[in-house]
Amino acid sequence: MNTQKPFPTATSDTGFLQEPPHLKNQYEDDIVFKNILKKSLPASVLAEIEPDLSRFGDRVTKDILVMGDNVDTPNNHPQLKQYDAWCRRVDEISTAQGWKELNDVAAEEGLIAIAYERKYGQYSRIYQFAKQYLYMPSSAMYSCPLSMTDGAARVIEILGTEEMKNTYYTRLTSRDPRKFWTSGQWMTERPGGSDVGQSETQAELTEGSTWSISGFKWFSSATTADLTMLLARTIDPKDGTVRTGSKGLSLYVAEMRQPDGQLNGVRVHRLKNKYGTKGLPTAELQLSGMKAKMLGNPGRGVPGIASILNITRIYACLGVVCALRRCLAIAKDFAYKRHAFNNTLDKTPLHITTLAELELIFRAGAQISFYCVELLGRTECVEQSEGDAAILRFLTPIAKAYVCKIGVNACSEAMEALGGQGYMEDVGIGRQLRDAQVNTIWEGTTNVLSMDVVRVMKETKGQCLVTFENMIKEKINRSVQTSSKLSEAAKSVEIALDNIKQFVKATTSKIEMESNARQLTFALGRTLAGALLIEQAAFDVANNIEGAEQDVFVANRWCCVREFTQELILINTSLVLEEAKIVFGSAAKI
Ligand code: MFK
């Protein structure tokens, strides 16, 4: 029988005190991330940027983390003051000190600038997103204004006038905090968040090329931005008519404030009370005569703003991946330190297996995100990159829908890995989970993105699937030549590809295509991740890189499980009708 002397009575200061988990350098401590960069960057570029990444990887655990914590402190959440003491309308939104500091850090660190200076050509995007990856989990959603700023810079680069490029673009891509501007992106209105074609806001030409915009925007994220990109229904200057639906919408750019500092026809109706992203000011806005300029052609607002969405969607995808990475960093360090049932958690079989599942999801998501970034860089910097643009157009909604969905669930699981402590605000997982959740919603919900996948298939008459298959096969065929240990995984990917093709063939009606869109999107995401994990493992083996053995294991573990190769279950029309009955109680008219 084990006996021991009685313990002294524990008080709040004596007795057991758990050693807390600590964050190490977020670049040096992340072999998955480092290996992705090795695969996707020329060695000379990586050698040049690595000191900056290593320095920044340390900084995001120090002053930047303090700024983020300051932003997410309840007393510091944004406040709206609508009137001054004399009943003058002022509509001032105050934000945390940390919020302002995060803005300055973003400019100084070149978190937008790097992508547009293009010092490393197509690889500049990877460098920029590598820094975003490090910055996001510490910055309490300053990545939101930054992602929209990035999208706005790109749209101005594509569609803007010389004047816009000399003024707005220069500011959006500046490294000088005194010059740096951020941009918002206002689409959502009360009748339609997903179905933007129902928007009510209207734009009327007043003088020269200046438009006057009036209406009500229901969600405006980062309302303290200096500039905004917005959609409005164009009143035809010739006959005063407006066109209904999304073809009547044009894209406009407007400054938040007029030269005298007054708001530019904007009234802040109220701040939103959100589930997460608490430090990010999101507001309802009344627009009355907001002066704006049109970007691109009238009626082409949705395709115009889609250039922003296609960038912010990659941010959303990466945002979940790095949130999960942060949750895992905390959970892993805790596992080394926490004793339970006569062992530390890192030696407890079920705990190991649970964290390994999350590690797989993280690695899969990181591969998909950085592959999209790689393609984005090529489309912006390489001539004749139409093929890359076509595949990126197809992969972006797949990446956003699939990675955000599996990643948020994994963040929730990581919270549980610390037991009750995981649920405590000051441990650091709560904010990650809350903030990650929005990424499944904004910039298109999972269903909207799944329908976007269907849209691309329709628009390309199925060619995107052929391109997808070729790209995947090219990656896995090349990889198995490097390592025979990847053959099983590669075979699984081929089976998964065949299943997808059979599945698409079997969906014959519009109803079937739509009701199966989510399944299809997830299967495409899962398969893409498989091919990229195989490619990473082969690269590591070929170059004898640290972590190669684990990456071979990961590729096999991801691809050689039942869910990966299982056939997709076709939801046919009669099944949808039956499902409608169990959900809504009666047969749906669809
Ligand atoms: C860390 C991350 C931070 C992120 C911060 C973000 C904060 C900002 C918060 C927000 O602003 S949330 C609001 C986000 N809103 C959305 O994402 C809207 C979601 N809805 C959709 O995406 C709908 O699919 C869409 C509005 C595009 C549907 O509109 P329509 O008019 O029914 O679409 P239609 O007719 O299919 O497409 C119109 C045109 O746009 C077509 O081109 P054509 O006219 O030439 O045929 C489409 O091909 C084109 N298009 C649509 N989506 C596209 C696109 N083109 C390129 N890329 C896309 N993604």
Side-chain angles (χ1 to χ4, degrees), residues 147 185 188 194 246 300 310 313 393 442-444 455 459:
S147 69
Q185 165 217 326
T188 309
S194 297
S246 68
R300 299 299 291 162
N310 290 337
R313 285 173 181 174
R393 173 69 188 95
W442 64 11
E443 307 307 83
R455 179 196 284 110
E459 284 178 355

Side-chain angles (χ1 to χ4, degrees), residues 326-435:
R326 178 60 58 87
C327 296
L328 267 173
I330 296 170
K332 282 189 213 178
D333 200 49
F334 181 72
Y336 296 127
K337 294 171 176 166
R338 180 68 172 172
H339 278 261
F341 306 112
N342 300 323
N343 227 333
T344 47
L345 292 179
D346 66 317
K347 298 190 182 63
T348 305
L350 187 52
H351 200 76
I352 296 170
T353 302
T354 307
L355 291 191
E357 282 289 330
L358 309 187
E359 181 74 27
L360 285 177
I361 293 170
F362 158 61
R363 288 176 185 231
Q367 289 291 343
I368 293 180
S369 312
F370 275 101
Y371 184 51
C372 288
V373 174
E374 189 182 320
L375 290 169
L376 180 65
R378 288 216 285 269
T379 59
E380 290 173 347
C381 297
V382 177
E383 296 216 355
Q384 294 176 334
S385 55
E386 294 78 11
D388 291 320
I391 191 77
L392 182 61
R393 173 69 188 95
F394 191 46
L395 295 192
T396 303
I398 295 171
K400 155 81 161 79
Y402 179 63
V403 174
C404 291
K405 183 61 76 183
I406 59 173
V408 168
N409 294 341
C411 290
S412 163
E413 187 69 70
M415 173 181 269
E416 201 178 318
L418 282 87
Q421 283 300 100
Y423 200 60
M424 295 301 107
E425 283 294 349
D426 37 7
V427 169
I429 292 187
R431 186 171 91 216
Q432 299 299 336
L433 176 59
R434 255 199 321 274
D435 289 356

Side-chain angles (χ1 to χ4, degrees), residues 458-482:
K458 222 164 87 187
E459 284 178 355
T460 62
K461 300 193 171 63
Q463 184 55 39
C464 59
L465 258 188
V466 178
T467 314
F468 180 84
E469 183 183 2
N470 291 343
M471 178 268 290
I472 298 277
K473 283 196 167 154
E474 204 261 321
K475 285 187 186 305
I476 57 174
N477 290 342
R478 209 167 358 101
S479 302
V480 287
Q481 282 164 18
T482 307

Side-chain angles (χ1 to χ4, degrees), residues 136 141 143-144 147-148 185-188 193-197 219 221 246-247 300 302-303 306-307 309-310 312-313 315-316 319 393 439 442-445 448 452 455 459:
M136 281 196 224
M141 273 302 154
S143 48
C144 169
S147 69
M148 297 187 290
Q185 165 217 326
W186 302 345
M187 301 175 71
T188 309
S194 297
D195 187 2
V196 173
F219 275 95
S221 295
S246 68
K247 300 253 182 303
R300 299 299 291 162
V302 170
S307 306
L309 293 177
N310 290 337
T312 51
R313 285 173 181 174
Y315 272 87
R393 173 69 188 95
N439 288 301
W442 64 11
E443 307 307 83
T445 60
V448 164
D452 194 39
R455 179 196 284 110
E459 284 178 355

Side-chain angles (χ1 to χ4, degrees), residues 78-94 216-217 223 257 262-263 266-272 282-287:
Q79 302 272 339
L80 172 63
K81 178 177 154 189
Q82 282 174 313
Y83 296 93
D84 73 4
W86 307 96
C87 204
R88 279 189 196 84
R89 194 78 193 225
V90 287
D91 289 5
E92 282 168 9
I93 298 174
S94 56
F216 193 84
K217 293 286 173 185
T223 313
R257 293 185 181 272
Q262 296 294 311
L263 282 164
V266 179
R267 276 192 169 184
V268 184
H269 188 246
R270 64 175 165 165
L271 288 177
K272 294 287 199 186
T282 306
E284 297 166 13
L285 302 176
Q286 172 74 55
L287 311 182

